[in-house]
């Protein structure tokens, strides 16, 4: 046998090992590009990748700049880069309102809500619309100063430019990770490894946490890579490393769909067991204390185990403080309806970021407060774009003990609606950041009391 053939075999094995090593370390976008090339060599249909910058900034929770300026505002994220690849503090970038931990440690800081899942650490968000709906293969974020704040990237099934509203709005997490501190403030192109989804999207949401940063993070542009047709791997496609297959996690199992959480809220059947195990021997107060450490979805799941735990999980004392912000993508009118019987004693309620794109209606919000608003002391409604004058009127009538009200970034409320808040005599803290409140509104009379 010629010595050439053993050499070719060795080279083939070396090439195979290199491909496997690259598969472990490559980003999702690189993997998809490689598969497209390999598919092309096998005479399969070519799926051309589309690369597009954000066309429009649809919504955001905060920014450092003012509403009548373009300096340090979220609107700078639309279009091509203004600064990248340069590094430094530039007014043409998008900058969120805070950084570090000083905001939480100052004397006026509000106490955090209990039961917040450890996986939810988002402090701010921005939603970006793109021209063409695509199946995402990569998302590139151009960070020009103090990078590392982005903690989640989500895709939405709703097309913001469609004339027909969707029957269901679905959000899917493309990538999620705990906040990290990047060494140095230099610019970078952040391209995390995203997962594949089964619907096209042209609406991307970035969520950030700036608590580990030494200064404001600055974003210049966002690039969406994707294909028009859903990628399908050919059986003849070359090796796929097992590390390229995502394991199921909680978000994958339970999704971001509204129906999933609602099914957990509406527990109507329980398994029949002859006894409740050893839980019958524990004091009621001890079981309540143990369950107080569970998140809301975990309470709903535990309620399906036996009648005793169902009674504990639905006890209104477990819902004195309730934050639904971590589940903003899954909360709708049906969710609030299922929670009514459990929230009759609620004192702190966080509905920030929830209810947008028709998920919560004015009537659904009003019905909930009429049942659960009498004991409310603190109400968080940041970025609640479903709120209107009727909602503020209901808050005034149904929440006589309200002391704290957060309406930040509720920019859809008309100026005259804020007159209703002046009737809440017990109010001690009112946040109206990025609202349309006017100086002549009677609400300013509260400052003179």
């Amino acid at each position: 046998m010629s010595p050439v053939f053993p050499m070719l075999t060795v080279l083939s094995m070396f090439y195979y090992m290199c491909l496997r090593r690259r598969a472990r370390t490559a980003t999702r976008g690189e993997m998809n590009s490689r598969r497209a090339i390999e598919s092309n060599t096998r005479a399969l249909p070519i799926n051309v990748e589309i690369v597009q910058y954000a066309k429009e900034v649809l919504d955001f929770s905060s920014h450092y700049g003012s509403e009548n300026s373009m300096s340090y505002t979220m609107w700078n994220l639309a279009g091509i880069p203004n600064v990248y690849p340069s590094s430094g503090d530039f007014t043409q970038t998008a900058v969120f309102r805070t950084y570090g931990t000083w905001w939480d440690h100052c004397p006026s800081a509000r106490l955090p809500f209990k039961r917040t899942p450890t996986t939810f650490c988002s402090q701010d968000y921005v939603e970006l619309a793109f021209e063409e709906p695509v199946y995402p293969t990569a998302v590139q974020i151009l960070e020009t100063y103090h990078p590392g704040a982005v903690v989640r990237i989500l895709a939405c099934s709703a097309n913001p430019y469609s004339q027909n509203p969707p029957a269901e709005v679905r959000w899917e997490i493309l990538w999620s990770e705990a906040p990290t501190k990047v060494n140095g403030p230099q610019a970078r192109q952040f391209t995390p490894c995203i997962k594949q989804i089964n619907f096209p999207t042209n609406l991307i949401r970035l969520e950030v946490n700036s608590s580990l940063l030494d200064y404001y993070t600055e974003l210049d542009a966002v690039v969406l890579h994707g294909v028009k047709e859903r990628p399908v791997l050919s059986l003849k496609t070359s090796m796929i490393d097992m590390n390229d297959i995502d394991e199921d996690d909680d978000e994958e199992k339970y999704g971001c769909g509204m129906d999933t959480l609602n099914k957990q809220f509406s527990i109507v059947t329980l398994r029949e067991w002859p006894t409740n195990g050893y839980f019958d021997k524990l004091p009621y107060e001890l079981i309540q204390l143990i369950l107080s450490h569970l998140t809301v979805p975990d309470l709903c799941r535990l309620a399906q185990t036996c009648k005793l735990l169902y009674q504990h999980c639905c006890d209104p004392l477990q819902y004195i403080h309730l934050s639904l912000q971590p589940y903003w993508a899954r909360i709708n009118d049906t969710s609030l309806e299922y929670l009514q019987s459990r929230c009759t004693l609620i004192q702190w309620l966080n509905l920030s970021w929830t209810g947008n794109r028709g998920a919560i209606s004015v009537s659904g919000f009003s019905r909930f407060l009429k049942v659960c608003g009498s004991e409310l002391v603190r109400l968080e409604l940041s970025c609640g774009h479903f709120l209107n004058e009727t909602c503020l009127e209901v808050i005034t009538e149904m929440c006589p003990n309200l002391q704290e009200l957060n309406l930040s970034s509720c920019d859809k409320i008309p100026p005259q609606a804020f007159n209703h808040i002046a009737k809440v005599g017990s109010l001690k803290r009112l946040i109206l950041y990025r609202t349309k409140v006017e100086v002549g509104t009677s609400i300013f009379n509260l400052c003179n009391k």
Side-chain angles (χ1 to χ4, degrees):
M1 180 183 293
S2 172
V4 176
F5 292 102
M7 181 63 68
L8 289 177
T9 303
V10 172
L11 290 176
S12 299
M13 293 179 63
F14 178 76
Y15 177 68
Y16 170 78
M17 294 172 63
C18 291
L19 283 179
R20 287 184 62 84
R21 181 178 296 275
R22 184 184 176 191
R24 293 189 183 96
T25 59
T27 63
R28 179 80 59 180
E30 292 171 340
M31 291 292 293
N32 286 338
S33 297
R34 179 164 59 83
R35 288 171 186 156
I37 294 172
E38 291 168 350
S39 298
N40 187 23
T41 60
R42 289 166 176 77
L44 294 177
I46 300 176
N47 205 350
V48 180
E49 186 176 63
I50 299 174
V51 179
Q52 50 186 332
Y53 291 96
K55 178 181 179 181
E56 184 181 357
V57 177
L58 297 181
D59 188 24
F60 56 92
S61 56
S62 76
H63 58 185
Y64 182 81
S66 64
E67 296 297 294
N68 300 321
S69 171
M70 289 300 293
S71 299
Y72 300 120
T73 62
M74 286 298 118
W75 297 301
N76 288 328
L77 274 177
I80 62 175
N82 297 310
V83 175
Y84 187 85
S86 299
S87 299
D89 187 1
F90 291 89
T91 61
Q92 300 95 325
T93 57
V95 181
F96 290 98
R97 194 181 181 195
T98 66
Y99 70 92
T101 59
W102 63 270
W103 192 272
D104 296 323
H105 295 160
C106 63
S108 60
R110 291 165 292 164
L111 295 175
F113 277 79
K114 299 178 180 179
R115 296 188 186 278
T116 301
T118 56
T119 55
F120 180 80
C121 56
S122 303
Q123 297 175 333
D124 278 294
Y125 74 86
V126 58
E127 293 181 1
L128 305 168
F130 295 80
E131 183 70 33
E132 294 289 336
V134 294
Y135 291 91
T137 56
V139 177
Q140 295 176 339
I141 305 170
L142 306 184
E143 304 170 283
T144 56
Y145 203 40
H146 289 276
V150 179
V151 293
R152 285 213 303 184
I153 304 175
L154 301 97
C156 185
S157 61
N159 185 342
Y161 301 119
S162 175
Q163 299 297 326
N164 302 319
E168 179 187 6
V169 177
R170 178 183 173 190
W171 287 92
E172 195 75 36
I173 297 177
L174 300 178
W175 172 86
S176 178
E177 195 171 284
T180 57
K181 185 173 182 178
V182 179
N183 294 327
Q186 288 76 23
R188 72 168 182 175
Q189 177 180 288
F190 181 50
T191 311
C193 195
I194 65 173
K195 78 170 187 178
Q196 192 178 87
I197 58 176
N198 59 4
F199 59 83
T201 182
N202 61 337
L203 176 54
I204 296 295
R205 176 179 173 122
L206 307 181
E207 294 185 358
V208 303
N209 182 313
S210 304
S211 60
L212 300 182
L213 302 186
D214 297 325
Y215 196 65
Y216 296 98
T217 187
E218 298 190 7
L219 310 180
D220 192 14
V222 176
V223 189
L224 175 62
H225 296 244
V227 291
K228 296 293 290 183
E229 299 295 331
R230 183 178 178 182
V232 178
L233 292 178
S234 169
L235 294 177
K236 296 181 180 179
T237 304
S238 63
M239 309 73 59
I240 302 174
D241 194 276
M242 289 302 295
N243 293 333
D244 191 38
I245 302 177
D246 292 324
E247 297 180 358
D248 289 341
D249 53 15
D250 285 343
E251 292 293 343
E252 189 85 24
K253 264 196 238 175
Y254 304 110
C256 284
M258 297 176 181
D259 290 342
T260 308
L261 197 62
N262 290 339
K263 289 177 181 178
Q264 297 169 15
F265 286 151
S266 60
I267 305 302
V268 292
T269 59
L270 294 172
R271 299 176 182 177
E272 293 294 336
W273 297 101
T275 66
N276 291 313
Y278 290 97
F279 286 104
D280 284 329
K281 299 181 180 180
L282 295 177
Y284 192 93
E285 294 80 4
L286 180 58
I287 299 178
Q288 287 288 95
L289 179 61
I290 295 173
L291 300 190
S292 67
H293 297 278
L294 297 180
T295 62
V296 174
D298 288 338
L299 275 179
C300 297
R301 297 175 196 128
L302 186 62
Q304 304 176 56
T305 56
C306 66
K307 291 185 177 180
L308 177 64
L309 292 180
Y310 173 84
Q311 179 184 354
H312 280 280
C313 292
C314 296
D315 192 323
L317 291 175
Q318 288 289 343
Y319 301 86
I320 298 295
H321 294 176
L322 176 62
S323 177
L324 297 177
Q325 182 180 3
Y327 322 106
W328 58 266
R330 295 183 267 173
I331 299 300
N332 60 5
D333 283 349
T334 308
S335 309
L336 296 182
E337 183 179 352
Y338 288 144
L339 286 169
Q340 281 185 16
S341 60
R342 310 181 193 186
C343 297
T344 54
L345 301 178
I346 190 169
Q347 297 177 7
W348 287 14
L349 175 62
N350 186 358
L351 285 174
S352 296
W353 301 6
T354 65
N356 298 334
R357 294 184 173 85
I360 295 180
S361 65
V362 173
S363 58
F365 176 76
S366 301
R367 285 194 301 270
F368 182 82
L369 280 194
K370 288 177 181 178
V371 177
C372 309
S374 60
E375 301 296 326
L376 269 180
V377 175
R378 177 179 173 183
L379 182 57
E380 304 282 339
L381 296 171
S382 175
C383 304
H385 301 312
F386 66 91
L387 296 172
N388 61 8
E389 184 171 0
T390 301
C391 294
L392 295 193
E393 188 175 2
V394 171
I395 292 173
T396 301
E397 295 177 357
M398 299 300 161
C399 306
N401 300 311
L402 196 62
Q403 297 180 13
E404 298 185 30
L405 178 60
N406 182 1
L407 297 174
S408 61
S409 295
C410 294
D411 52 2
K412 302 295 190 296
I413 302 176
Q416 70 276 7
F418 294 97
N419 289 318
H420 295 287
I421 302 178
K423 303 174 185 177
V424 184
S426 58
L427 207 57
K428 296 180 180 179
R429 182 197 293 265
L430 178 62
I431 302 177
L432 298 176
Y433 167 71
R434 290 193 65 236
T435 62
K436 296 179 180 178
V437 64
E438 297 177 348
V439 177
T441 307
S442 59
I443 191 175
F444 288 96
N445 294 331
L446 292 172
C447 301
N448 300 323
K449 293 184 179 180

